[in-house]
Amino acid sequence: MDSCLFCRIIAGEIPSRKVYEDDSVYAFYDINPQAPVHVLLIPKKHIARIENLEPSDADVMGHLMVAARKVGDLLGLSNGYRIVFNNGADGGQEVEHIHLHLLGGLKMGWPPYQLSAPSSN
Ligand code: AMP
Ligand code: ZN
């Protein structure tokens, strides 16, 4: 997808601070970190949202999870971290290319949101 921000990052057209890369995954630091460590992991295949996943994407999504484990190890997050997929409007997704947020370096609370007006859906 020529116009997709994250596809352009994978292609090297937009600079990023790479943390990890393999055949199907690219990981880089979030430009607006929400935790002391905030890394985004993306499949190299353009998939806009969870709803667009096909059964044949199981391997790439499983690989994304294993890559998250590698990034956690690489960055020394031995005390744990949080993994988030913001999906769709109510999920807070802004970039329409599936991405895994890996957040660490602090003790987080639960739930991760503040109650507000219900969705208009
Ligand atoms: P989301 O709201 O889940 O779609 O998350 C998109 C994330 O992409 C946000 O956390 C942004 O800070 C991050 N982001 C946007 N542009 C860039 C960029 N050029 N490099 C790194 N992270 C970015
Ligand atoms: Zn894309």
Side-chain angles (χ1 to χ4, degrees):
M1 274 269 287
D2 293 351
S3 60
C4 169
L5 173 67
F6 287 172
C7 284
R8 295 186 68 199
I9 284 178
I10 292 164
E13 294 168 14
I14 294 174
S16 64
R17 292 173 58 212
K18 180 165 93 172
V19 177
Y20 171 83
E21 182 175 15
D22 61 33
D23 286 350
S24 65
V25 171
Y26 187 75
F28 56 106
Y29 285 104
D30 195 294
I31 204 168
N32 183 22
Q34 301 301 315
V37 176
H38 188 173
V39 175
L40 300 174
L41 289 93
I42 57 181
K44 289 187 173 175
K45 176 182 177 185
H46 178 86
I47 307 168
R49 290 190 190 186
I50 300 290
E51 293 94 314
N52 299 112
L53 287 171
E54 302 287 349
S56 59
D57 294 319
D59 279 356
V60 73
M61 293 305 290
H63 197 85
L64 194 70
M65 294 302 302
V66 176
R69 178 258 158 103
K70 289 180 183 171
V71 169
D73 288 351
L74 276 171
L75 299 181
L77 297 173
S78 56
N79 226 23
Y81 41 86
R82 182 166 291 172
I83 283 172
V84 175
F85 287 94
N86 294 331
N87 187 63
D90 277 5
Q93 182 178 9
E94 291 183 353
V95 179
E96 293 265 328
H97 179 133
I98 283 180
H99 47 283
L100 180 159
H101 293 261
L102 190 153
L103 300 139
L106 81 170
K107 174 94 175 144
M108 282 175 248
W110 191 263
Y113 53 83
Q114 293 182 316
L115 288 175
S116 58
S119 166
S120 56
N121 291 340

